[in-house]
Amino acid sequence: MDNLKTLLEIFWSFLQVSLTSLGGGGAILLESQRQAVTLHHWVTPSEFNEAVTLGQLMPGSSGGLGVVVIGYQAGGWLGGIIAAIGLYLPAAILTGLVTHLSQRWQHSSWMDALQQAIVPISLGLLVVMAGLFSKTAISHWQEGGLVLIVAWAYWRWHLNPILIILATASLGFWLPFAASP
């Protein structure tokens, strides 16, 4: 019975994440962290970061794949599947509905206003999530400096994210501050 309760909690939690997050994969991270770390204690903050990082390394929705990893940790294989269903089913239904309605009312002024309002909301959620990640992922000022350098290089030269991941992972083996706890 405990397993069924856990699976229902996983479904309900990620259903809420899906219905309250705007802006795609990155925007779901804030509420996912609240559900998985703060409310249910399925994972620690570091494990949450690792799940999201693993999700970003795989093809597909980065936030969604991290949710599957969290669901797996909380409820095994079935927990991962239930987490994905809870996350994607409402979004799929709402996407179909919104697509239909936006085509119907595409020339209305309130539709333009709604579309313009979603962009800053999504950006704000991403900035907050970046701040939360930095609290557990950056433990030395050198790491913070490396993050700023990498972000600037990405912005300046439009580098391929795979190259950035490989380069920073390689640096982690050689930099003395990366090896210390």
Side-chain angles (χ1 to χ4, degrees):
M1 196 63 171
D2 270 352
N3 193 33
L4 178 60
K5 182 181 179 227
T6 300
L7 294 174
L8 289 172
E9 286 176 345
I10 291 169
F11 177 77
W12 178 244
S13 294
F14 292 113
L15 178 79
Q16 291 176 67
V17 167
S18 180
L19 293 174
T20 59
S21 301
L22 299 171
I28 70 166
L29 297 177
L30 186 59
E31 181 61 16
S32 294
Q33 185 196 42
R34 190 179 80 80
Q35 292 284 342
V37 176
T38 307
L39 292 180
H40 297 289
H41 308 287
W42 291 324
V43 293
T44 65
S46 294
E47 290 171 333
F48 181 84
N49 287 356
E50 290 169 6
V52 171
T53 301
L54 181 62
Q56 290 176 339
L57 291 174
M58 294 185 237
S61 167
S62 60
L65 293 171
V67 163
V68 171
V69 172
I70 292 165
Y72 172 78
Q73 287 186 292
W77 286 106
L78 194 53
I81 292 168
I82 295 291
I85 292 170
L87 184 69
Y88 290 118
L89 182 63
I93 292 169
L94 286 173
T95 298
L97 180 63
V98 168
T99 299
H100 173 73
L101 293 176
S102 67
Q103 288 174 349
R104 188 173 176 188
W105 295 316
Q106 66 184 351
H107 300 294
S108 69
S109 60
W110 66 269
M111 184 61 79
D112 291 338
L114 178 65
Q115 289 174 339
Q116 289 177 6
I118 287 174
V119 172
I121 291 169
S122 297
L123 183 60
L125 288 171
L126 291 173
V127 168
V128 169
M129 196 63 224
L132 289 173
F133 265 101
S134 69
K135 287 182 182 179
T136 57
I138 300 173
S139 57
H140 295 81
W141 69 267
Q142 296 98 331
E143 292 170 345
L146 182 59
V147 167
L148 292 175
I149 290 168
V150 168
W152 176 80
Y154 175 76
W155 172 79
R156 174 70 174 90
W157 291 298
H158 306 286
L159 299 173
N160 184 324
I162 298 294
L163 293 176
I164 293 173
I165 291 169
L166 292 174
T168 53
S170 298
L171 282 174
F173 289 111
W174 295 305
L175 297 176
F177 62 83
S180 61

